[in-house]
């Protein structure tokens, strides 16, 4: 496999942000819902952006819920103080080799901006496609990035993500997919069962593979 461009997911791929998301949801939604939410209840709403999750959990308090969530997401970001070790070095290596890099995430525009600013990573991405409150749109996001790279054959583009839905979206969009199983929240067995083009349990192994497969 020769790689000319890379598209990254954010949560669970660039950084261990999922526990932060879940806590911010709990602290923002539970007072409005007036009951305790389990992690499973929150995760079950994932697919749409955070705005979609708020709409699903507390539709009668949408504006208040979204405002509270974004405030808490920023305030609690010290729970996830840095990207995964080795990830900034990968992004820097790709930049030095002039490999185009984009992001397609299910996160909303505002929370994505908060995390990228916190991690000082925004400048590495030539294009960022975020999620929609109406439902999953990673396929459309990947297609938008591919359209912006007309000079690159999509067979030489990879998507890197940590969820089964990332594999499905990449297949639908017609590009290769790398399963990122280095986060504690990833389920390597399920990812492997979906037969991604590659699967990595740690970032160093992914980095080595990437260097070997970048189009010279």
């Amino acid at each position: 496999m020769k790689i000319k461009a890379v598209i990254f997911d954010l949560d669970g791929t660039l950084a261990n942000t999922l526990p932060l998301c879940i806590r911010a949801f709990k602290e923002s939604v539970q007072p409005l819902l007036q009951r305790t939410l389990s992690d499973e209840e929150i995760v079950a709403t994932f697919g749409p952006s955070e705005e979609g999750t708020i709409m699903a959990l507390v539709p009668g308090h949408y504006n208040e819920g979204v405002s509270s969530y974004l405030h808490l997401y920023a305030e609690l970001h010290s729970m996830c103080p840095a990207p995964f070790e080795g990830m900034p070095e990968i992004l820097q290596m790709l930049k030095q080799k002039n490999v185009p890099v984009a992001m397609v995430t299910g996160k909303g525009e505002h929370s994505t901006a908060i995390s990228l600013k916190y991690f000082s990573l925004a400048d590495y991405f030539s294009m960022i496609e975020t999620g929609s409150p109406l439902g999953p749109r990673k396929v459309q996001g990947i297609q938008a990035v591919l359209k912006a790279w007309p000079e690159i054959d999509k067979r030489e583009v990879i998507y890197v993500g940590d969820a089964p839905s990332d594999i499905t979206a990449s297949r639908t969009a017609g590009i290769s997919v790398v399963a990122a199983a280095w986060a504690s929240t990833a389920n390597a067995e399920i990812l492997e069962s979906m037969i991604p083009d590659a699967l990595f349990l740690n970032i160093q192994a992914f980095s080595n593979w990437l260097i070997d497969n970048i189009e010279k």
Side-chain angles (χ1 to χ4, degrees):
M1 180 187 294
K2 289 302 178 183
I3 297 165
K4 287 189 177 179
V6 184
I7 305 173
F8 285 95
D9 177 39
L10 200 166
D11 292 326
T13 300
L14 290 184
N16 190 34
T17 43
L18 283 169
L20 163 62
C21 295
I22 289 171
R23 182 167 169 190
F25 275 126
K26 284 186 175 181
E27 294 198 14
S28 60
V29 172
Q30 285 177 166
L32 301 174
L33 201 57
Q34 297 186 333
R35 70 173 179 85
T36 301
L37 282 167
S38 68
D39 291 4
E40 290 74 20
E41 281 181 279
I42 294 169
V43 171
T45 68
F46 286 4
S49 64
E50 295 96 331
E51 291 84 355
T53 290
I54 299 293
M55 179 62 74
L57 294 172
V58 281
H61 301 276
Y62 176 75
N63 290 333
E64 184 181 358
V66 169
S67 176
S68 178
Y69 174 82
L70 291 172
H71 171 75
L72 286 160
Y73 185 81
E75 188 176 74
L76 296 169
H77 216 298
S78 58
M79 285 179 60
C80 184
F84 286 119
E85 186 175 354
M87 190 54 72
E89 289 78 6
I90 287 174
L91 294 171
Q92 181 62 28
M93 178 271 292
L94 292 169
K95 183 177 182 179
Q96 289 174 345
K97 292 182 178 293
N98 296 313
V99 176
V101 176
M103 173 179 290
V104 175
T105 174
K107 293 178 80 67
E109 176 184 357
H110 301 295
S111 59
T112 297
I114 290 168
S115 285
L116 290 180
K117 182 179 179 181
Y118 196 95
F119 297 141
S120 299
L121 295 180
D123 290 344
Y124 287 108
F125 301 97
S126 63
M127 187 170 179
I128 297 172
E129 287 285 316
T130 54
S132 165
L134 303 179
R137 64 169 305 273
K138 281 196 174 179
V139 174
Q140 294 92 328
I142 292 170
Q143 290 170 337
V145 172
L146 295 176
K147 187 175 181 180
W149 292 340
E151 73 286 359
I152 301 174
D153 189 323
K154 71 178 183 179
R155 291 173 295 184
E156 295 175 305
V157 179
I158 61 167
Y159 184 88
V160 186
D162 66 310
S165 58
D166 295 328
I167 297 175
T168 303
S170 300
R171 294 280 187 242
T172 302
I175 65 171
S176 298
V177 58
V178 171
W182 46 74
S184 59
T185 49
N187 188 319
E189 288 186 9
I190 290 177
L191 292 171
E192 187 173 20
S193 74
M194 298 184 70
I195 317 178
D197 295 279
L199 181 148
F200 296 99
L201 299 175
N202 64 78
I203 290 177
Q204 186 59 57
F206 168 61
S207 177
N208 294 341
W209 175 86
L210 196 54
I211 291 168
D212 288 342
N213 287 278
I214 289 173
E215 180 70 33
K216 300 299 189 290

